[in-house]
Amino acid sequence: MAEIMPEVAAAYEDVRNDKTENDWLLIEYVDDKKDVLALSGTGSGSLAEFVAQLKDDQAAFGYVRIIVGNDELSKRAKFLFVAWCGPNVKVLRKAKLSVHIANVKSVIKSFAVEVSASSKEELNEKDIQLLLKKAMGANYDRQASQY
């Protein structure tokens, strides 16, 4: 079981709030030996800025607010939950990641799409946008969309 530091809940509420600038948060382990997860960053640069924070030797979790829609009238904020396991993460940490995700989801409860990624290419903006659009439900603009 992982311990989640209290500042994570506050950052989660901040990202969920459409009136704030922050649109992503990153949660990392405080060190390789402890199962303690703490807020390591927030920002307002959307998915691209979030992905730039991810490291190859780290396991982490993230939450990103992304505006999606087919036209101006259908624009909505949708939320992406990311379980990140970089390619150089130690084996024991990789194994614990699958268990600790439940602890993180006890704080980060509301999201449209969940992605488990081990390379930054898996978090391609175009692909994520498509996943979020599909999660929106009905697509009344089918002729103009690519899915």
Side-chain angles (χ1 to χ4, degrees), residues 69-88:
N70 294 325
D71 57 45
E72 285 304 313
L73 297 175
S74 68
K75 297 262 186 220
R76 303 283 184 269
K78 291 293 176 187
F79 297 90
L80 171 70
F81 177 74
V82 177
W84 171 256
C85 186
N88 301 329

Side-chain angles (χ1 to χ4, degrees), residues 18-92:
D18 290 337
K19 295 181 173 112
T20 64
E21 283 189 20
N22 286 338
D23 60 9
W24 63 265
L25 65 84
L26 182 63
I27 306 164
E28 296 178 330
Y29 291 92
V30 294
D31 64 37
D32 283 342
K33 305 223 184 289
K34 295 180 184 172
D35 292 338
V36 178
L37 289 157
L39 182 69
S40 68
T42 61
S44 58
S46 198
L47 184 61
E49 184 179 68
F50 168 76
V51 170
Q53 307 301 310
L54 301 174
K55 301 176 199 110
D56 286 348
D57 63 345
Q58 121 192 100
F61 300 94
Y63 190 67
V64 186
R65 179 178 66 216
I66 301 173
I67 305 299
V68 293
N70 294 325
D71 57 45
E72 285 304 313
L73 297 175
S74 68
K75 297 262 186 220
R76 303 283 184 269
K78 291 293 176 187
F79 297 90
L80 171 70
F81 177 74
V82 177
W84 171 256
C85 186
N88 301 329
V89 172
K90 295 178 181 173
V91 175
L92 187 57

